Amino acid sequence: MRTIRYREAIREALLEEMDRDSRVFLMGEEVGHYQGAYKVSEGLLARFGESRVIDTPIAESGFAGIGVGAAMTGLRPVIEFMTWNFSFVALDQIVSNAAKVYQMSGGKISVPIVFRGPNGAAKQVGSQHSHSVEPFYASVPGLWVCAPATPRDAKGLLKTAIRDANPVVFLEGETLYNVSGEVPDEGDEELIPFGEARTAREGTDCTVVVWGRPYYETMKAVEAISTALEIECEVIDPRTVRPLDTASIVQSVKKTNRCVVVHEHWPMGGPGAEIVDTVQREAFDFLDAPVERVASLDIPMPYASHLEDTVLPTESRIRSAIEKVCYA
Amino acid sequence: MRTIRYREAIREALLEEMDRDSRVFLMGEEVGHYQGAYKVSEGLLARFGESRVIDTPIAESGFAGIGVGAAMTGLRPVIEFMTWNFSFVALDQIVSNAAKVYQMSGGKISVPIVFRGPNGAAKQVGSQHSHSVEPFYASVPGLWVCAPATPRDAKGLLKTAIRDANPVVFLEGETLYNVSGEVPDEGDEELIPFGEARTAREGTDCTVVVWGRPYYETMKAVEAISTALEIECEVIDPRTVRPLDTASIVQSVKKTNRCVVVHEHWPMGGPGAEIVDTVQREAFDFLDAPVERVASLDIPMPYASHLEDTVLPTESRIRSAIEKVCYA
Amino acid sequence: MSISDELLKLYRQMFVIRRFEEEAARAYAQGKIGGFLHLYIGQESVAVGACAAIEKDDYVMTTYRDHGLALARGMPPGVAMAELHGKDAGCSRGLGGSMHFFDPERNMLGGWAIVGGHLAVGAGVAFRSKYLDEASVTLCFFGEGATNIGGFHEGLSLAGLWKLPIVFICENNEYAMGTPMSRTSPLDDLSVKAAGYGMLGDSIDGHDVQVVRDRIRSAVGHARRGDGPTFLEVKTYRFRGHSMSDPGKYRSRAELEEQKRRDPLKVTRLQLADAGIDESALVALEESAEQEIADSVSFAESAEPAREEVMRASVYAPSEQR
Amino acid sequence: MSISDELLKLYRQMFVIRRFEEEAARAYAQGKIGGFLHLYIGQESVAVGACAAIEKDDYVMTTYRDHGLALARGMPPGVAMAELHGKDAGCSRGLGGSMHFFDPERNMLGGWAIVGGHLAVGAGVAFRSKYLDEASVTLCFFGEGATNIGGFHEGLSLAGLWKLPIVFICENNEYAMGTPMSRTSPLDDLSVKAAGYGMLGDSIDGHDVQVVRDRIRSAVGHARRGDGPTFLEVKTYRFRGHSMSDPGKYRSRAELEEQKRRDPLKVTRLQLADAGIDESALVALEESAEQEIADSVSFAESAEPAREEVMRASVYAPSEQR
Ligand SMILES: Cc1ncc(C[n+]2csc(CCOP(=O)(O)OP(=O)(O)O)c2C)c(N)n1
Ligand SMILES: Cc1ncc(C[n+]2csc(CCOP(=O)(O)OP(=O)(O)O)c2C)c(N)n1
Ligand SMILES: [Mg+2]
Ligand SMILES: [Mg+2]
């Protein structure tokens, strides 16, 4: 194992898969000469040249569509959205085209494509630039949706995504890019399968389900609560929200009898509510308390820093929710 | 009371509101000369002229944006999407612009606009034309989302929507347009407030929550089950999924101790899962069985008629779900 | 092939499409076909002329009005008709329907129902040709109604910028549903738009299949040589409503009759007669085509319905060994 | 107002914007401002020239690079600076931030951060003027990087079709983030695109505020007379990075120095000197502007932070009596 940043984990996955398969290319705004708006693709242009690391004009729907056409005919595009906010102008390409071609061609044409970029809030970038897009894409059959929190998951899932035969929505995070973590040594290739949750912490008192950026707030909260109240949480990170590893979540809840779901997307619906639905259905007789959720407030993201902190799921809100389900 | 079709109810609401307020206009593809792709706007061009009933080119994002600009400066646009499937190319206008302007202007500029058109499957129109869009729009604070099932609700809610100061996503249904039902007599103006559920049927044994098109399948199922098994369902139609009248739903579940949620949108997330989340949280101690959901299958809509019937929420699936929660 | 042999072949293709569409309309009226049905009647010369201008390795794709192009590209009428009937033997296994004809073996890549949504996809297919340094060219068809939407702009912008090997074929049939172009564009000649994308533009009459073929052939050559895309407006006309549910009240009977005088089948049939093909040969050809269509209907009617297992298996493609 | 009085006024506005931006950059470096900060330094002549060409009832809107336009339209620097500091006294009450300046009292309608997303909105504002038969005209600003996106196309298509009273002002500052236009467009002159929308097009040098003002004035007159929109490419240059996080490695120091010789403030200051305004008058003007900016900073720093109640109350607007 080595320690690298999330940004480098993504970059390594891209580099290794591009080395392995000449059909893989990276396309998006500023991915080449600029080395990526968040420096994720640093060095890739130099290594693979302009034919495989392709700077685009600002035309998300256009280059997403180009990716779909290229994937339909055998290439393996990785399409970068500078942030997922800009995918909204390309949503039709993802939902109506990428997710549908395999089905509407009667299973004759697959679309092996990855759409990736940072999801969710960054820091004070305002309401148009702070969307957590899970509720939009995770609802759509035909898509997979990955939302890794750690460098290791980011790397292993991105490699799987690039080799998958279907369109994958791959959600990174601007504030995650600087996070450090362990990844397998060079040469030890790791592909993380979709739909397998990771147990980030074992515990007996409460199951906490979390993915993406709030994973870190959650880990702080559960450690604090362990110290303060001797409540031991089991933290389950599904890593992919479509497919969703409901079995692992339910199994854990059957053990702990309590559950809190933490996510950055707005409260209404989305994978957050879906997990609650599954847990109450499949672990009904095991629940000692209603399942609680901690989400961003139901408010467009404000600019002012202290207000943004109020809107995002905070350590203290996570802690309160755990205390609540534990009647602590 | 008079009996009219859903299509006419929408048309009456448009006509009355356009009569009442000259700032209201209708814009969309084929709304004028063609009288509406589904004849919803029949006669409106003749009555209000080309300046207020405006045929557009095929440019959903363009005319949605025109609506936003007009609404910001005091007009009250009603923007028709020929179907909600075509809103995906305009989603950014709705989510990033219409829903955000009030907030990002610090509450200085409101956007009183209605986006309306048929939602969900029609009949055999395939996967690109059969989306139920609630999971996309209901997740967004800043929007209201109406999904009336009956002519009366359609008329009363659309009038409210047009007078509201905020962007409203108004979901009709191609197969609903021909449904007949009672509406108040001419001259008896009725505005139905957002966020107030309608109890469509009283019952003591099971609460069934449903909106939009599957309302009719549900009513058939609950009558059949009443006759066959003497199970009496209470049917609650929230009518608006944002705001959602959780109080009425929870109150009913506290009485019946059982709950089934029926919707046409895909299973993952959306208002369907949100309702389950609320019910298990707020009526936890009252539930005698897990909440069940009946949704479209997690599959892009196929063309063949018998397969489409398999995918949509059917009377028999609704019945099974009710029987299941009633352990019948 | 002699010139008149080739023209006979094109005429037969157009005739097959015409009769296919008529039988589809009949089956629709009988309730054997559901959903939307957009007929290509009146526009046959465009798809047939275009397909005569390209090679086996080239690609084609179009809108929901896709039967003509699929047939021109060689899809067996039975397979096409089976799709309309929602049968497993259909080109999209009964899952796609009229609007989503796909035939990857013949490089027919759909059948797309969101206006403007497939133009960038077409550019992506052309991107692949360039990426792999292959000579194939993509023909991407769409209606004049698509020229105002963002997808059109982005597809053309990227194709023009990167000089992708694609020909954008705008079938201007004068109407988008019930709306004449005079109410959706300030332009008379859409090819004016090409300059804004730094690409070649042209506008041609589409009623003569040979004119279409020849002009597209030169655009294809341009693309194949690496000189970039062409935006081609092809002026045509549809004789039926937008789809089966459209009574077409927005145009006069006189207008329609006037247009029918330029029916592409009539135009070509006259050219064949002028070239010395005698009536009996034409009638024989038409009869064989009739038979082919009749066979396609029986094939479709007796085929097995689309299958639930196939539907369930067509949400996600199996992934190759990782 | 004499010609040199007016020019003095324009110079002062440009100077205020320049100094505002410099102070904003400083506050950002000190961590007093967060998020994205896109400076207008180098482009002042465009917003100032444009605002000199219009009336009180006319509307303006632009991208996230919006400080200059807001100030040119008369927003008090203190209110603008307070917004950057996330204060309740800011133009958007600290909820919008740098990218979302709104000032409805001055018909400054944002402040939009999705590239291309506000062009149709601008067309909608112009639509309203036409709907109400008012004479007002809308100026809609955007970068050259926006010309490939669908929102550009749809906004221009509808405005051109309906002859809406709007002027589309494309500030071509040569780069979209790190990408020069040579890598995003096959065109040298973007105004070529106008013909595809049936509207007037022109391309002008933007470094001279008077040239900008005069050209926009004539486009505004055209729009006000009901003759439709103009697409105007204004060639300009930004001296700073795209935003504060951009070190600008994609261009050479030599290029930047060369461009600074055409600094619009320099250009106008020379014109004023040529017109006989003496140095001391200019210095006095600059000092008063400095003071204004210094005051804006103190105002912003001492103002109350943005308020949670305001945030909670700004999700939905209260609806009028039903
Ligand atoms: C984005 C979008 N908006 C609206 C529609 C509905 N619609 C289907 S076809 C059509 C008219 C298209 O006209 P044109 O492009 O001229 O093609 P034609 O039907 O004449 O072949 C419309 C409005 C759609 N499919 N997609
Ligand atoms: C749809 C969309 N895609 C990408 C971005 C990220 N982005 C913000 S500004 C910008 C460059 C814009 O360049 P240009 O239009 O020339 O304006 P300038 O910044 O030069 O004023 C990009 C890519 C965005 N905001 N919106
Ligand atoms: Mg047409
Ligand atoms: Mg620029």
Side-chain angles (χ1 to χ4, degrees), chain D residues 72-271:
Chain D
R73 193 59 181 162
M75 184 185 287
V79 170
M81 194 61 87
E83 187 61 30
L84 300 183
H85 283 69
K87 299 301 179 73
D88 186 53
C91 57
S92 304
R93 306 200 71 176
L95 303 182
S98 164
M99 303 199 287
H100 304 304
F101 277 18
F102 284 84
D103 189 353
E105 274 173 49
R106 291 176 186 82
N107 285 2
M108 158 62 182
L109 299 181
W112 302 79
I114 304 298
V115 168
H118 65 293
L119 277 76
V121 177
V125 175
F127 173 88
R128 170 199 168 275
S129 299
K130 196 173 173 183
Y131 187 89
L132 297 179
D133 213 6
E134 288 186 2
S136 49
V137 170
T138 299
L139 305 186
C140 183
F141 296 75
F142 50 94
E144 87 294 344
T147 56
N148 294 294
I149 203 161
F152 166 85
H153 183 64
E154 300 197 17
L156 269 73
S157 290
L158 295 174
L161 174 66
W162 292 332
K163 289 194 176 300
L164 300 179
I166 184 166
V167 183
F168 292 105
I169 300 174
C170 176
E171 295 187 71
N172 182 352
N173 61 9
E174 301 196 16
Y175 293 90
M177 291 194 64
T179 309
M181 203 179 84
S182 56
R183 287 201 283 112
T184 61
S185 175
L187 306 178
D188 294 319
D189 177 351
L190 290 172
S191 68
V192 168
K193 291 184 182 281
Y197 304 105
M199 65 175 70
L200 288 185
D202 201 357
S203 182
I204 62 166
D205 181 275
H207 297 82
D208 183 337
V209 68
Q210 301 189 82
V211 171
V212 173
R213 178 198 56 203
D214 294 346
R215 183 62 190 87
I216 291 181
R217 190 172 280 158
S218 96
V220 167
H222 185 81
R224 218 186 294 284
R225 282 189 302 275
D227 294 335
T230 301
F231 171 76
L232 202 63
E233 178 187 21
V234 181
K235 305 217 182 210
T236 177
Y237 197 82
R238 67 166 154 71
F239 294 157
R240 298 295 182 103
H242 168 73
S243 69
M244 291 303 290
S245 62
D246 167 28
K249 289 191 198 153
Y250 40 83
R251 58 183 177 188
S252 65
R253 180 163 296 273
E255 173 184 321
L256 189 58
E257 289 314 316
E258 180 60 30
Q259 286 284 354
K260 284 195 177 166
R261 295 172 54 187
R262 299 194 295 162
D263 181 337
L265 270 72
K266 239 183 234 169
V267 168
T268 304
R269 206 176 194 283
L270 277 175
Q271 288 169 346

Side-chain angles (χ1 to χ4, degrees), chain A residues 31-304:
Chain A
V31 297
H33 292 273
Y34 201 81
Q35 317 292 324
Y38 301 103
K39 301 287 173 264
V40 166
S41 50
E42 193 138 35
L44 297 185
L45 174 66
R47 186 176 184 111
F48 297 107
E50 285 195 333
S51 62
R52 294 183 66 199
V53 179
I54 303 153
D55 282 326
T56 65
I58 306 168
E60 282 80 2
S61 153
F63 63 77
I66 289 219
V68 172
M72 288 174 66
T73 47
L75 300 186
R76 302 203 151 240
V78 178
I79 302 295
E80 175 172 313
F81 293 121
M82 191 178 283
T83 79
W84 273 95
N85 301 287
F86 313 139
S87 77
F88 287 161
V89 292
L91 184 131
D92 187 64
Q93 285 296 340
I94 303 171
V95 173
S96 300
N97 289 351
K100 299 297 193 297
V101 165
Y102 188 63
Q103 183 266 358
M104 67 190 188
S105 68
K108 291 187 178 163
I109 301 177
S110 62
V111 186
I113 188 170
V114 177
F115 300 102
R116 51 159 289 275
N119 182 45
K123 188 73 198 133
Q124 284 196 269
V125 295
S127 64
Q128 291 191 320
H129 274 59
S130 299
H131 292 96
S132 283
V133 301
E134 297 95 312
F136 295 85
Y137 297 111
S139 75
V140 181
L143 301 178
W144 300 132
V145 180
C146 304
T150 67
R152 183 173 182 174
D153 290 345
K155 182 171 179 185
L157 285 171
L158 184 53
K159 289 172 70 83
T160 304
I162 293 172
R163 297 191 202 179
D164 196 273
N166 301 284
V168 181
V169 164
F170 200 90
L171 307 175
E172 305 162 11
E174 192 185 325
T175 59
L176 292 175
Y177 286 138
N178 278 331
V179 166
S180 294
E182 292 198 327
V183 298
D185 286 328
E186 274 167 65
D188 292 355
E189 179 161 89
E190 182 177 57
L191 285 121
I192 298 178
F194 291 173
E196 286 189 17
R198 179 174 57 85
T199 303
R201 182 183 198 279
E202 302 210 351
T204 48
D205 302 327
C206 175
T207 300
V208 184
V209 185
V210 64
W211 64 92
R213 161 182 167 142
Y215 173 78
Y216 295 95
E217 297 299 314
T218 300
M219 291 311 272
K220 278 189 256 170
V222 300
E223 291 309 334
I225 218 163
S226 162
T227 310
L229 301 175
E230 291 179 19
I231 291 173
E232 298 305 334
C233 290
E234 181 144 297
V235 179
I236 309 267
D237 179 353
R239 307 193 285 193
T240 60
V241 291
R242 177 181 275 271
L244 190 59
D245 182 358
T246 53
S248 297
I249 296 168
V250 168
Q251 197 188 335
S252 172
V253 175
K254 284 185 177 170
K255 180 174 74 176
T256 62
N257 311 112
R258 292 150 204 283
C259 183
V260 171
V261 183
V262 184
H263 52 82
E264 189 178 319
H265 73 70
W266 283 313
M268 160 60 96
E274 182 67 22
I275 291 169
V276 177
D277 171 275
T278 304
V279 168
Q280 68 83 33
R281 195 155 18 82
E282 300 190 13
F284 186 73
D285 291 327
F286 296 82
L287 281 173
D288 286 346
V291 185
E292 285 291 325
R293 278 204 285 154
V294 183
S296 285
L297 300 184
D298 197 29
I299 289 178
M301 190 61 76
Y303 163 72

Side-chain angles (χ1 to χ4, degrees), chain C residues 137-151:
Chain C
V137 170
T138 298
L139 304 186
C140 183
F141 296 75
F142 50 93
E144 89 293 345
T147 55
N148 295 295
I149 203 162

Side-chain angles (χ1 to χ4, degrees), chain B residues 1-27:
Chain B
M1 289 285 184
R2 313 162 280 143
T3 298
I4 62 173
R5 287 183 202 273
Y6 191 111
R7 162 185 293 114
E8 288 147 15
I10 297 284
R11 185 179 153 280
E12 285 188 3
L14 289 169
L15 193 150
E16 290 172 16
E17 294 305 305
M18 289 178 74
D19 264 344
R20 175 179 177 273
D21 184 348
S22 64
R23 298 170 305 173
V24 179
F25 65 89
L26 176 65
M27 177 178 273

